[in-house]
PDB file of all heavy atoms in Angstrom:
ATOM      1  N   GLN A   1     124.797 -34.719 -97.664  1.00 52.00           N
ATOM      2  CA  GLN A   1     124.697 -34.241 -98.992  1.00 52.00           C
ATOM      3  C   GLN A   1     125.858 -33.393 -99.465  1.00 52.00           C
ATOM      4  O   GLN A   1     126.170 -33.448-100.646  1.00 52.00           O
ATOM      5  CB  GLN A   1     123.486 -33.318 -98.989  1.00 52.00           C
ATOM      6  CG  GLN A   1     122.121 -33.962 -98.909  1.00 52.00           C
ATOM      7  CD  GLN A   1     120.912 -33.153 -98.923  1.00 52.00           C
ATOM      8  OE1 GLN A   1     121.119 -31.957 -98.739  1.00 52.00           O
ATOM      9  NE2 GLN A   1     119.741 -33.729 -98.940  1.00 52.00           N
ATOM     10  N   ASP A   2     126.658 -32.810 -98.554  1.00 75.00           N
ATOM     11  CA  ASP A   2     127.666 -31.942 -98.838  1.00 75.00           C
ATOM     12  C   ASP A   2     129.060 -32.541 -98.814  1.00 75.00           C
ATOM     13  O   ASP A   2     130.008 -31.964 -98.903  1.00 75.00           O
ATOM     14  CB  ASP A   2     127.708 -30.678 -98.080  1.00 75.00           C
ATOM     15  CG  ASP A   2     126.392 -29.765 -98.296  1.00 75.00           C
ATOM     16  OD1 ASP A   2     125.935 -29.830 -99.341  1.00 75.00           O
ATOM     17  OD2 ASP A   2     126.087 -29.066 -97.368  1.00 75.00           O
ATOM     18  N   SER A   3     129.094 -33.850 -98.621  1.00 89.00           N
ATOM     19  CA  SER A   3     130.341 -34.641 -98.462  1.00 89.00           C
ATOM     20  C   SER A   3     131.283 -34.549 -99.568  1.00 89.00           C
ATOM     21  O   SER A   3     132.504 -34.436 -99.296  1.00 89.00           O
ATOM     22  CB  SER A   3     130.006 -36.035 -98.114  1.00 89.00           C
ATOM     23  OG  SER A   3     129.291 -36.171 -97.040  1.00 89.00           O
ATOM     24  N   PHE A   4     130.896 -34.468-100.788  1.00 92.00           N
ATOM     25  CA  PHE A   4     131.707 -34.305-101.936  1.00 92.00           C
ATOM     26  C   PHE A   4     132.072 -32.962-102.321  1.00 92.00           C
ATOM     27  O   PHE A   4     133.133 -32.688-102.973  1.00 92.00           O
ATOM     28  CB  PHE A   4     130.979 -35.075-103.118  1.00 92.00           C
ATOM     29  CG  PHE A   4     130.759 -36.504-103.066  1.00 92.00           C
ATOM     30  CD1 PHE A   4     129.603 -37.017-102.659  1.00 92.00           C
ATOM     31  CD2 PHE A   4     131.879 -37.387-103.282  1.00 92.00           C
ATOM     32  CE1 PHE A   4     129.464 -38.288-102.360  1.00 92.00           C
ATOM     33  CE2 PHE A   4     131.742 -38.744-103.206  1.00 92.00           C
ATOM     34  CZ  PHE A   4     130.474 -39.239-102.687  1.00 92.00           C
ATOM     35  N   ILE A   5     131.185 -31.905-101.983  1.00 93.00           N
ATOM     36  CA  ILE A   5     131.475 -30.598-102.347  1.00 93.00           C
ATOM     37  C   ILE A   5     132.661 -30.001-101.808  1.00 93.00           C
ATOM     38  O   ILE A   5     132.889 -30.058-100.611  1.00 93.00           O
ATOM     39  CB  ILE A   5     130.222 -29.737-102.031  1.00 93.00           C
ATOM     40  CG1 ILE A   5     129.044 -30.352-102.978  1.00 93.00           C
ATOM     41  CG2 ILE A   5     130.460 -28.354-102.462  1.00 93.00           C
ATOM     42  CD1 ILE A   5     127.623 -29.685-102.684  1.00 93.00           C
ATOM     43  N   GLY A   6     133.367 -29.302-102.571  1.00 93.00           N
ATOM     44  CA  GLY A   6     134.622 -28.644-101.985  1.00 93.00           C
ATOM     45  C   GLY A   6     135.855 -28.861-102.926  1.00 93.00           C
ATOM     46  O   GLY A   6     135.724 -29.320-104.094  1.00 93.00           O
ATOM     47  N   ASP A   7     137.093 -28.352-102.328  1.00 94.00           N
ATOM     48  CA  ASP A   7     138.318 -28.484-103.160  1.00 94.00           C
ATOM     49  C   ASP A   7     139.071 -29.792-102.799  1.00 94.00           C
ATOM     50  O   ASP A   7     139.186 -30.016-101.666  1.00 94.00           O
ATOM     51  CB  ASP A   7     139.140 -27.222-102.885  1.00 94.00           C
ATOM     52  CG  ASP A   7     138.359 -25.965-103.482  1.00 94.00           C
ATOM     53  OD1 ASP A   7     137.549 -26.037-104.151  1.00 94.00           O
ATOM     54  OD2 ASP A   7     138.935 -24.843-103.029  1.00 94.00           O
ATOM     55  N   TRP A   8     139.455 -30.553-103.874  1.00 94.00           N
ATOM     56  CA  TRP A   8     140.272 -31.666-103.627  1.00 94.00           C
ATOM     57  C   TRP A   8     141.619 -31.566-104.434  1.00 94.00           C
ATOM     58  O   TRP A   8     141.572 -30.878-105.509  1.00 94.00           O
ATOM     59  CB  TRP A   8     139.435 -32.882-104.083  1.00 94.00           C
ATOM     60  CG  TRP A   8     138.067 -32.991-103.334  1.00 94.00           C
ATOM     61  CD1 TRP A   8     137.023 -32.392-103.621  1.00 94.00           C
ATOM     62  CD2 TRP A   8     137.945 -33.819-102.288  1.00 94.00           C
ATOM     63  NE1 TRP A   8     136.102 -32.823-102.796  1.00 94.00           N
ATOM     64  CE2 TRP A   8     136.532 -33.803-101.952  1.00 94.00           C
ATOM     65  CE3 TRP A   8     138.823 -34.731-101.633  1.00 94.00           C
ATOM     66  CZ2 TRP A   8     135.995 -34.394-100.891  1.00 94.00           C
ATOM     67  CZ3 TRP A   8     138.149 -35.549-100.620  1.00 94.00           C
ATOM     68  CH2 TRP A   8     136.761 -35.306-100.351  1.00 94.00           C
ATOM     69  N   GLU A   9     142.623 -32.285-103.965  1.00 93.00           N
ATOM     70  CA  GLU A   9     143.856 -32.154-104.672  1.00 93.00           C
ATOM     71  C   GLU A   9     144.494 -33.588-104.748  1.00 93.00           C
ATOM     72  O   GLU A   9     144.223 -34.487-103.861  1.00 93.00           O
ATOM     73  CB  GLU A   9     144.937 -31.178-104.037  1.00 93.00           C
ATOM     74  CG  GLU A   9     145.347 -31.462-102.698  1.00 93.00           C
ATOM     75  CD  GLU A   9     146.299 -30.420-102.113  1.00 93.00           C
ATOM     76  OE1 GLU A   9     146.455 -29.318-102.725  1.00 93.00           O
ATOM     77  OE2 GLU A   9     146.870 -30.600-101.176  1.00 93.00           O
ATOM     78  N   THR A  10     145.395 -33.716-105.724  1.00 87.00           N
ATOM     79  CA  THR A  10     146.034 -35.108-105.999  1.00 87.00           C
ATOM     80  C   THR A  10     147.471 -34.736-106.458  1.00 87.00           C
ATOM     81  O   THR A  10     147.832 -33.549-106.766  1.00 87.00           O
ATOM     82  CB  THR A  10     145.422 -35.997-106.810  1.00 87.00           C
ATOM     83  OG1 THR A  10     146.003 -37.245-106.780  1.00 87.00           O
ATOM     84  CG2 THR A  10     145.363 -35.607-108.246  1.00 87.00           C
ATOM     85  N   ASN A  11     148.321 -35.727-106.512  1.00 71.00           N
ATOM     86  CA  ASN A  11     149.683 -35.479-107.062  1.00 71.00           C
ATOM     87  C   ASN A  11     150.382 -34.421-106.231  1.00 71.00           C
ATOM     88  O   ASN A  11     151.123 -33.592-106.805  1.00 71.00           O
ATOM     89  CB  ASN A  11     149.719 -35.116-108.484  1.00 71.00           C
ATOM     90  CG  ASN A  11     149.199 -36.271-109.314  1.00 71.00           C
ATOM     91  OD1 ASN A  11     149.160 -37.402-108.972  1.00 71.00           O
ATOM     92  ND2 ASN A  11     148.568 -35.935-110.443  1.00 71.00           N
ATOM     93  N   LYS A  12     150.400 -34.608-104.904  1.00 74.00           N
ATOM     94  CA  LYS A  12     150.994 -33.630-103.982  1.00 74.00           C
ATOM     95  C   LYS A  12     150.650 -32.117-104.404  1.00 74.00           C
ATOM     96  O   LYS A  12     151.514 -31.225-104.336  1.00 74.00           O
ATOM     97  CB  LYS A  12     152.562 -33.742-104.023  1.00 74.00           C
ATOM     98  CG  LYS A  12     152.877 -35.110-103.592  1.00 74.00           C
ATOM     99  CD  LYS A  12     154.483 -35.410-103.734  1.00 74.00           C
ATOM    100  CE  LYS A  12     154.659 -36.883-103.486  1.00 74.00           C
ATOM    101  NZ  LYS A  12     156.077 -37.280-103.775  1.00 74.00           N
ATOM    102  N   GLY A  13     149.455 -31.821-104.636  1.00 77.00           N
ATOM    103  CA  GLY A  13     148.871 -30.568-104.866  1.00 77.00           C
ATOM    104  C   GLY A  13     149.206 -29.929-106.315  1.00 77.00           C
ATOM    105  O   GLY A  13     148.828 -28.865-106.600  1.00 77.00           O
ATOM    106  N   LYS A  14     149.657 -30.864-107.234  1.00 83.00           N
ATOM    107  CA  LYS A  14     149.875 -30.340-108.594  1.00 83.00           C
ATOM    108  C   LYS A  14     148.574 -30.160-109.343  1.00 83.00           C
ATOM    109  O   LYS A  14     148.474 -29.395-110.227  1.00 83.00           O
ATOM    110  CB  LYS A  14     150.757 -31.264-109.299  1.00 83.00           C
ATOM    111  CG  LYS A  14     152.199 -31.378-108.785  1.00 83.00           C
ATOM    112  CD  LYS A  14     153.017 -32.334-109.476  1.00 83.00           C
ATOM    113  CE  LYS A  14     154.441 -32.409-109.129  1.00 83.00           C
ATOM    114  NZ  LYS A  14     155.300 -33.380-109.769  1.00 83.00           N
ATOM    115  N   LEU A  15     147.599 -30.867-108.984  1.00 88.00           N
ATOM    116  CA  LEU A  15     146.227 -30.793-109.512  1.00 88.00           C
ATOM    117  C   LEU A  15     145.215 -30.659-108.406  1.00 88.00           C
ATOM    118  O   LEU A  15     145.122 -31.338-107.515  1.00 88.00           O
ATOM    119  CB  LEU A  15     145.845 -32.078-110.343  1.00 88.00           C
ATOM    120  CG  LEU A  15     144.572 -32.065-111.036  1.00 88.00           C
ATOM    121  CD1 LEU A  15     144.441 -30.975-112.102  1.00 88.00           C
ATOM    122  CD2 LEU A  15     144.347 -33.404-111.657  1.00 88.00           C
ATOM    123  N   CYS A  16     144.430 -29.608-108.530  1.00 93.00           N
ATOM    124  CA  CYS A  16     143.346 -29.253-107.662  1.00 93.00           C
ATOM    125  C   CYS A  16     142.021 -29.155-108.401  1.00 93.00           C
ATOM    126  O   CYS A  16     142.107 -28.333-109.296  1.00 93.00           O
ATOM    127  CB  CYS A  16     143.615 -27.959-106.820  1.00 93.00           C
ATOM    128  SG  CYS A  16     142.396 -27.488-105.651  1.00 93.00           S
ATOM    129  N   ILE A  17     140.980 -29.736-107.956  1.00 92.00           N
ATOM    130  CA  ILE A  17     139.612 -29.488-108.536  1.00 92.00           C
ATOM    131  C   ILE A  17     138.670 -29.063-107.518  1.00 92.00           C
ATOM    132  O   ILE A  17     138.779 -29.304-106.327  1.00 92.00           O
ATOM    133  CB  ILE A  17     139.236 -30.819-109.192  1.00 92.00           C
ATOM    134  CG1 ILE A  17     138.844 -32.027-108.215  1.00 92.00           C
ATOM    135  CG2 ILE A  17     140.109 -31.317-110.241  1.00 92.00           C
ATOM    136  CD1 ILE A  17     138.036 -33.006-108.854  1.00 92.00           C
ATOM    137  N   GLU A  18     137.587 -28.391-107.981  1.00 94.00           N
ATOM    138  CA  GLU A  18     136.502 -28.086-107.195  1.00 94.00           C
ATOM    139  C   GLU A  18     135.420 -28.896-107.672  1.00 94.00           C
ATOM    140  O   GLU A  18     134.922 -28.876-108.750  1.00 94.00           O
ATOM    141  CB  GLU A  18     136.152 -26.561-107.399  1.00 94.00           C
ATOM    142  CG  GLU A  18     134.981 -26.134-106.717  1.00 94.00           C
ATOM    143  CD  GLU A  18     134.407 -24.789-107.126  1.00 94.00           C
ATOM    144  OE1 GLU A  18     135.046 -24.069-108.015  1.00 94.00           O
ATOM    145  OE2 GLU A  18     133.467 -24.285-106.412  1.00 94.00           O
ATOM    146  N   ILE A  19     134.705 -29.587-106.703  1.00 92.00           N
ATOM    147  CA  ILE A  19     133.507 -30.284-106.971  1.00 92.00           C
ATOM    148  C   ILE A  19     132.371 -29.458-106.409  1.00 92.00           C
ATOM    149  O   ILE A  19     132.345 -29.089-105.415  1.00 92.00           O
ATOM    150  CB  ILE A  19     133.509 -31.688-106.144  1.00 92.00           C
ATOM    151  CG1 ILE A  19     134.672 -32.594-106.870  1.00 92.00           C
ATOM    152  CG2 ILE A  19     132.213 -32.420-106.311  1.00 92.00           C
ATOM    153  CD1 ILE A  19     134.896 -33.925-106.217  1.00 92.00           C
ATOM    154  N   TYR A  20     131.304 -29.457-107.388  1.00 93.00           N
ATOM    155  CA  TYR A  20     130.173 -28.565-107.077  1.00 93.00           C
ATOM    156  C   TYR A  20     128.944 -29.201-107.685  1.00 93.00           C
ATOM    157  O   TYR A  20     128.954 -30.288-108.360  1.00 93.00           O
ATOM    158  CB  TYR A  20     130.287 -27.163-107.609  1.00 93.00           C
ATOM    159  CG  TYR A  20     130.403 -27.226-109.124  1.00 93.00           C
ATOM    160  CD1 TYR A  20     129.474 -26.909-110.000  1.00 93.00           C
ATOM    161  CD2 TYR A  20     131.804 -27.296-109.715  1.00 93.00           C
ATOM    162  CE1 TYR A  20     129.524 -26.931-111.383  1.00 93.00           C
ATOM    163  CE2 TYR A  20     131.793 -27.279-111.072  1.00 93.00           C
ATOM    164  CZ  TYR A  20     130.895 -27.000-111.938  1.00 93.00           C
ATOM    165  OH  TYR A  20     130.985 -27.085-113.253  1.00 93.00           O
ATOM    166  N   LYS A  21     127.848 -28.879-107.212  1.00 94.00           N
ATOM    167  CA  LYS A  21     126.595 -29.487-107.509  1.00 94.00           C
ATOM    168  C   LYS A  21     125.756 -28.460-108.417  1.00 94.00           C
ATOM    169  O   LYS A  21     125.516 -27.350-107.965  1.00 94.00           O
ATOM    170  CB  LYS A  21     125.795 -29.901-106.296  1.00 94.00           C
ATOM    171  CG  LYS A  21     124.576 -30.820-106.583  1.00 94.00           C
ATOM    172  CD  LYS A  21     124.049 -31.307-105.325  1.00 94.00           C
ATOM    173  CE  LYS A  21     122.727 -32.138-105.575  1.00 94.00           C
ATOM    174  NZ  LYS A  21     122.196 -32.752-104.301  1.00 94.00           N
ATOM    175  N   GLU A  22     125.121 -28.974-109.393  1.00 94.00           N
ATOM    176  CA  GLU A  22     124.179 -28.178-110.195  1.00 94.00           C
ATOM    177  C   GLU A  22     122.854 -29.002-110.431  1.00 94.00           C
ATOM    178  O   GLU A  22     123.022 -30.104-111.126  1.00 94.00           O
ATOM    179  CB  GLU A  22     124.740 -27.704-111.605  1.00 94.00           C
ATOM    180  CG  GLU A  22     125.615 -26.676-111.545  1.00 94.00           C
ATOM    181  CD  GLU A  22     126.178 -26.117-112.909  1.00 94.00           C
ATOM    182  OE1 GLU A  22     125.582 -26.601-113.889  1.00 94.00           O
ATOM    183  OE2 GLU A  22     126.965 -25.312-113.031  1.00 94.00           O
ATOM    184  N   GLY A  23     121.749 -28.705-109.924  1.00 93.00           N
ATOM    185  CA  GLY A  23     120.723 -29.541-109.962  1.00 93.00           C
ATOM    186  C   GLY A  23     120.836 -30.853-109.028  1.00 93.00           C
ATOM    187  O   GLY A  23     121.251 -30.708-107.875  1.00 93.00           O
ATOM    188  N   SER A  24     120.748 -31.991-109.727  1.00 92.00           N
ATOM    189  CA  SER A  24     120.921 -33.183-109.163  1.00 92.00           C
ATOM    190  C   SER A  24     122.319 -33.909-109.401  1.00 92.00           C
ATOM    191  O   SER A  24     122.665 -34.989-109.153  1.00 92.00           O
ATOM    192  CB  SER A  24     119.698 -34.164-109.400  1.00 92.00           C
ATOM    193  OG  SER A  24     119.679 -34.511-110.785  1.00 92.00           O
ATOM    194  N   TYR A  25     123.114 -33.125-110.222  1.00 93.00           N
ATOM    195  CA  TYR A  25     124.389 -33.613-110.739  1.00 93.00           C
ATOM    196  C   TYR A  25     125.625 -32.892-110.139  1.00 93.00           C
ATOM    197  O   TYR A  25     125.475 -31.769-109.718  1.00 93.00           O
ATOM    198  CB  TYR A  25     124.543 -33.404-112.328  1.00 93.00           C
ATOM    199  CG  TYR A  25     123.550 -34.213-113.096  1.00 93.00           C
ATOM    200  CD1 TYR A  25     122.581 -33.600-113.819  1.00 93.00           C
ATOM    201  CD2 TYR A  25     123.556 -35.555-113.224  1.00 93.00           C
ATOM    202  CE1 TYR A  25     121.598 -34.149-114.624  1.00 93.00           C
ATOM    203  CE2 TYR A  25     122.713 -36.290-114.097  1.00 93.00           C
ATOM    204  CZ  TYR A  25     121.758 -35.602-114.760  1.00 93.00           C
ATOM    205  OH  TYR A  25     120.806 -36.288-115.483  1.00 93.00           O
ATOM    206  N   TYR A  26     126.553 -33.626-109.950  1.00 93.00           N
ATOM    207  CA  TYR A  26     127.947 -33.101-109.492  1.00 93.00           C
ATOM    208  C   TYR A  26     128.943 -33.068-110.593  1.00 93.00           C
ATOM    209  O   TYR A  26     129.007 -33.881-111.494  1.00 93.00           O
ATOM    210  CB  TYR A  26     128.525 -34.052-108.308  1.00 93.00           C
ATOM    211  CG  TYR A  26     127.691 -34.147-107.145  1.00 93.00           C
ATOM    212  CD1 TYR A  26     126.555 -34.939-106.961  1.00 93.00           C
ATOM    213  CD2 TYR A  26     128.131 -33.367-106.007  1.00 93.00           C
ATOM    214  CE1 TYR A  26     125.883 -35.070-105.810  1.00 93.00           C
ATOM    215  CE2 TYR A  26     127.426 -33.359-104.719  1.00 93.00           C
ATOM    216  CZ  TYR A  26     126.329 -34.299-104.688  1.00 93.00           C
ATOM    217  OH  TYR A  26     125.595 -34.283-103.492  1.00 93.00           O
ATOM    218  N   TYR A  27     129.679 -31.995-110.539  1.00 93.00           N
ATOM    219  CA  TYR A  27     130.691 -31.633-111.522  1.00 93.00           C
ATOM    220  C   TYR A  27     132.011 -31.344-110.852  1.00 93.00           C
ATOM    221  O   TYR A  27     132.056 -30.947-109.626  1.00 93.00           O
ATOM    222  CB  TYR A  27     130.248 -30.454-112.405  1.00 93.00           C
ATOM    223  CG  TYR A  27     129.058 -30.611-113.188  1.00 93.00           C
ATOM    224  CD1 TYR A  27     127.864 -30.362-112.705  1.00 93.00           C
ATOM    225  CD2 TYR A  27     129.095 -31.153-114.508  1.00 93.00           C
ATOM    226  CE1 TYR A  27     126.616 -30.674-113.324  1.00 93.00           C
ATOM    227  CE2 TYR A  27     127.954 -31.281-115.217  1.00 93.00           C
ATOM    228  CZ  TYR A  27     126.726 -31.077-114.703  1.00 93.00           C
ATOM    229  OH  TYR A  27     125.599 -31.237-115.369  1.00 93.00           O
ATOM    230  N   GLY A  28     133.047 -31.493-111.575  1.00 92.00           N
ATOM    231  CA  GLY A  28     134.350 -31.152-111.032  1.00 92.00           C
ATOM    232  C   GLY A  28     135.185 -30.307-112.031  1.00 92.00           C
ATOM    233  O   GLY A  28     135.275 -30.744-113.199  1.00 92.00           O
ATOM    234  N   LYS A  29     135.701 -29.159-111.692  1.00 94.00           N
ATOM    235  CA  LYS A  29     136.443 -28.329-112.574  1.00 94.00           C
ATOM    236  C   LYS A  29     137.842 -28.140-112.002  1.00 94.00           C
ATOM    237  O   LYS A  29     138.041 -27.939-110.712  1.00 94.00           O
ATOM    238  CB  LYS A  29     135.771 -27.072-113.001  1.00 94.00           C
ATOM    239  CG  LYS A  29     135.589 -26.016-111.885  1.00 94.00           C
ATOM    240  CD  LYS A  29     134.920 -24.786-112.346  1.00 94.00           C
ATOM    241  CE  LYS A  29     134.726 -23.804-111.225  1.00 94.00           C
ATOM    242  NZ  LYS A  29     134.031 -22.711-111.633  1.00 94.00           N
ATOM    243  N   ILE A  30     138.830 -27.988-112.841  1.00 91.00           N
ATOM    244  CA  ILE A  30     140.182 -27.719-112.490  1.00 91.00           C
ATOM    245  C   ILE A  30     140.346 -26.232-111.889  1.00 91.00           C
ATOM    246  O   ILE A  30     139.946 -25.342-112.518  1.00 91.00           O
ATOM    247  CB  ILE A  30     141.125 -27.990-113.529  1.00 91.00           C
ATOM    248  CG1 ILE A  30     141.014 -29.438-114.066  1.00 91.00           C
ATOM    249  CG2 ILE A  30     142.508 -27.631-113.291  1.00 91.00           C
ATOM    250  CD1 ILE A  30     141.889 -29.768-115.366  1.00 91.00           C
TER     251      ILE A  30
END
């Protein structure tokens, strides 16, 4: 259930997002 939750980055660390869960939905914010 928690596999997606956490901090993720791309472009060699230039962009980092946090994936979190609210209710049954997942969201990602910069």
Side-chain angles (χ1 to χ4, degrees):
Q1 288 177 352
D2 295 335
S3 300
F4 292 96
I5 295 173
D7 295 343
W8 299 83
E9 66 183 9
T10 190
N11 297 333
K12 299 177 184 171
K14 292 181 181 177
L15 179 63
C16 178
I17 67 166
E18 174 190 7
I19 294 180
Y20 58 96
K21 187 174 180 182
E22 283 186 6
S24 60
Y25 295 112
Y26 290 80
Y27 296 86
K29 69 178 174 182
I30 296 175

